[in-house]
């Protein structure tokens, strides 16, 4: 499990535009790395739209937002286009990044157990060290909370 003060595990994933990117490509900038379960669900849509609507605040702090889920690049492209998302979505179908960050595991919903993404956000500093970890994230107000924490 990744904690504050740990080096952020590097990874290479494909973007919603079909380009390969590495987390280390963003060294020198703060990265808000948020893991979410699935494109198009109500909570994931709300969370993504709040990040979209808060883009100016993140830009003002020289921070970029990267959303990661196990969905395909095609699913990400549809999700991005449908909601006018202005940040990059990364496809993690093999759960490489999710496993490295410790956000893939057992979940329970309505008495049913299954494996999936635990909604979690990591703020990675310009030096590649994890500055903040937000676990058990509630989508409503999450982007604003991160901006408030980054401002203080």
């Amino acid at each position: 499990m990744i904690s504050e003060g740990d080096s952020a595990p590097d990874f290479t994933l494909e973007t919603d535009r079909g380009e390969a990117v590495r987390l280390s490509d963003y060294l020198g900038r703060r990265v808000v790395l948020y893991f979410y379960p699935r494109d198009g669900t109500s909570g994931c849509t709300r969370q993504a739209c709040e990040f979209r609507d808060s883009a100016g605040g993140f830009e003002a702090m020289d921070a970029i937002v990267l959303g990661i889920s196990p969905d395909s690049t095609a699913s990400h492209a549809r999700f991005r286009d449908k909601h006018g998302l202005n940040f990059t979505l990364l496809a993690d179908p093999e759960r490489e990044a999710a496993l490295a960050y410790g956000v893939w595991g057992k979940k329970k919903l309505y008495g049913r157990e299954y494996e999936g993404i635990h909604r979690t956000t990591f703020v990675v500093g310009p030096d590649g060290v994890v500055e903040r970890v937000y676990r058990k994230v509630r989508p409503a107000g999450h982007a604003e909370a991160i901006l408030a924490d980054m401002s203080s």
Side-chain angles (χ1 to χ4, degrees):
M1 178 134 341
I2 301 301
S3 300
E4 293 171 9
D6 291 346
S7 291
D10 200 12
F11 55 77
T12 302
L13 295 175
E14 197 170 342
T15 72
D16 50 9
R17 300 194 186 282
E19 304 159 337
V21 297
R22 295 176 58 96
L23 179 61
S24 57
D25 292 342
Y26 300 103
L27 282 174
R29 295 191 67 190
R30 183 172 278 140
V31 177
V32 176
L33 187 65
Y34 85 95
F35 288 86
Y36 66 99
R38 189 167 167 200
D39 293 337
T41 62
S42 60
C44 295
T45 300
R46 181 170 192 165
Q47 185 176 22
C49 290
E50 287 193 9
F51 277 115
R52 176 200 64 204
D53 296 345
S54 299
F58 290 108
E59 287 173 18
M61 296 191 181
D62 195 31
I64 61 159
V65 174
L66 299 174
I68 301 178
S69 85
D71 294 303
S72 68
T73 56
S75 175
H76 281 342
R78 287 189 302 272
F79 187 51
R80 177 199 66 220
D81 293 345
K82 181 176 182 178
H83 298 288
L85 302 181
N86 51 10
F87 57 89
T88 301
L89 299 174
L90 300 174
D92 190 19
E94 303 300 320
R95 300 177 297 279
E96 169 193 340
L99 290 167
Y101 281 79
V103 301
W104 182 264
K106 289 196 185 299
K107 296 175 74 170
K108 197 173 208 176
L109 182 64
Y110 304 117
R112 188 182 127 237
E113 280 195 16
Y114 62 99
E115 297 261 318
I117 293 278
H118 293 272
R119 193 182 303 271
T120 309
T121 301
F122 300 86
V123 177
V124 180
D127 58 358
V129 173
V130 175
E131 295 178 342
R132 285 292 301 247
V133 179
Y134 300 84
R135 299 191 194 285
K136 297 183 180 180
V137 168
R138 300 232 180 249
H142 182 54
E144 288 179 21
I146 294 170
L147 283 171
D149 288 345
M150 289 171 64
S151 297
S152 58

